[in-house]
Amino acid sequence: LGYAYRQVSDYPTALTHLEEGLALARSVEDAALSTAALIGLGWSLMGQGNYEAALEQLEPALAAARQGGDLHGVALALSHLGDVAYRRGDSAAASRYAWECLTLYQALGDRQGIAGAFRVLGFVSYMQGDYDDALRYHEASRSMYLEIGDRWGVGTGYINLGEAARRLGRFAEAAEYYARSLPYFKEIGNRFGAAIATLNLGHATQGLGDLERAREYFCASVEQSWALGALAVALEGVVGLVRLQLEAPVAGMTVERAAEALGCVQSHPAYNAEIAQFTGAIMESLCARLDEATLAAALARGAARDVEGVFAEVLGERLGTQMNADER
């Protein structure tokens, strides 16, 4: 139940079931089931952007699986640890985890696991700036997921192909990949995946110069991910809106307010390496528009602000406008 609720993006319910499952597994001294529960807890916490708490579950799970000779548990823990390392910007750790889990899954003949390892290796290629390699790994992952009928994997594969294309500046191709992912997430009820696809459509349409459409996608993604408690996705959506504000200002949102929003995002515990890829250009723009003291003060004010208030401010009148996933 915990794993199923995690896949439909209900993290609080998933965590409740996984904690109960962990307690029951420990009460009957079932080491493999205890490891599976710990991995599920880490996986769910990662979805919320709570990376430190995820590591507190995944690292003991890996140690326990190694000690008990649970190869499936070792491989799955490594896969999720690689994902967390990617979110935290640690390419060396992500690569180490991915190659070890790939070797294990190949020895086990687990094609779903192999596809997941290719996915993490694609992330490693992102971090190393080798986007052509990222495309190859993510296409290998998506194709294998398609062959075995893993709808989540296919949807995620399209998102990751879109990310590689976007980083190569191929925005129309990226938008097409993101759009292809949405029916898969709709079919399986994975609202988290749909929120990410919507977020990335914002980045792609901004790259194509359709700023109003990009604003709609970013706002929709912030609303969706905030409702799920997927704070890293919501924070990236806010960063997208700040970028748009500096490029195409809307009434009621000053440059200093944009700087405050950025300060809030950068100080949040769910801020990660994926979000950071956009903030350098934003800082350059802010430095060109505000003097050093004014910018520093605005960033500091933002760091002290409540994140929910910042979200409401950057969304503005968009709070009353909906773009449902079917239309996308």
Side-chain angles (χ1 to χ4, degrees):
L1 278 167
Y3 274 70
Y5 276 111
R6 198 280 180 195
Q7 279 293 59
V8 295
S9 312
D10 185 346
Y11 301 115
T13 306
L15 290 167
T16 297
H17 284 297
L18 288 161
E19 287 165 359
E20 185 176 354
L22 177 61
L24 289 168
R26 285 174 170 169
S27 73
V28 297
E29 299 181 353
D30 187 325
L33 192 56
S34 296
T35 297
L38 286 171
I39 291 171
L41 286 165
W43 187 36
S44 298
L45 290 162
M46 182 178 67
Q48 292 180 314
N50 197 343
Y51 306 117
E52 293 301 320
L55 290 175
E56 290 173 5
Q57 307 296 328
L58 292 171
E59 289 175 343
L62 177 61
R66 289 194 195 280
Q67 184 176 2
D70 176 5
L71 296 183
H72 284 281
V74 171
L76 186 56
L78 287 167
S79 179
H80 289 319
L81 282 164
D83 210 334
V84 172
Y86 163 60
R87 312 291 166 184
R88 301 175 80 212
D90 188 343
S91 63
S95 179
R96 186 172 66 252
Y97 290 133
W99 283 113
E100 186 179 355
C101 83
L102 176 61
T103 300
L104 275 173
Y105 278 130
Q106 287 173 331
L108 292 165
D110 186 330
R111 298 181 72 212
Q112 188 177 39
I114 292 168
F118 284 150
R119 172 176 166 269
V120 179
L121 286 168
F123 293 157
V124 173
S125 295
Y126 286 159
M127 288 186 281
Q128 295 173 344
D130 192 342
Y131 303 125
D132 288 321
D133 258 6
L135 278 169
R136 284 190 287 272
Y137 278 124
H138 286 309
E139 178 53 29
S141 175
R142 187 203 65 83
S143 296
M144 191 168 287
Y145 279 131
L146 181 63
E147 289 170 8
I148 64 176
D150 184 329
R151 289 163 175 77
W152 175 86
V154 176
T156 301
Y158 277 127
I159 283 182
N160 293 330
L161 285 166
E163 283 294 89
R166 182 180 61 78
R167 295 180 196 208
L168 286 166
R170 289 149 45 177
F171 298 113
E173 180 183 345
E176 177 63 23
Y177 281 132
Y178 300 143
R180 287 185 187 180
S181 75
L182 280 165
Y184 288 94
F185 295 125
K186 177 187 175 184
E187 180 183 359
I188 64 175
N190 191 296
R191 294 173 291 159
F192 179 67
I196 293 174
T198 303
L199 169 70
N200 289 338
L201 279 164
H203 293 311
T205 50
Q206 182 174 14
L208 289 167
D210 189 347
L211 303 188
E212 189 53 41
R213 188 69 170 165
R215 195 184 308 278
E216 289 292 308
Y217 280 127
F218 285 135
C219 287
S221 180
V222 172
E223 291 169 345
Q224 293 165 8
S225 51
W226 174 254
L228 295 172
L231 296 182
V233 180
L235 292 172
E236 188 174 332
V238 169
V239 165
L241 288 166
V242 170
R243 288 170 62 214
L244 283 175
Q245 173 60 22
L246 296 174
E247 190 171 347
V250 296
M253 188 69 175
T254 66
V255 174
E256 284 191 48
R257 282 296 197 184
E260 284 188 25
L262 181 63
C264 179
V265 168
Q266 289 181 311
S267 66
H268 196 280
Y271 180 72
N272 63 25
E274 286 190 298
I275 306 169
Q277 67 179 295
F278 301 106
T279 56
I282 292 173
M283 283 297 295
E284 287 182 13
S285 179
L286 289 171
C287 287
R289 300 173 190 224
L290 298 172
D291 62 73
E292 185 176 348
T294 301
L295 175 57
L299 292 170
R301 287 196 304 274
R305 288 191 62 186
D306 175 71
V307 68
E308 187 170 4
V310 170
F311 284 4
E313 183 173 280
V314 296
L315 288 172
E317 294 180 1
R318 174 61 182 74
L319 282 169
T321 306
Q322 297 295 323
M323 285 179 62
N324 64 55
D326 289 345
E327 291 173 337
R328 292 191 213 85

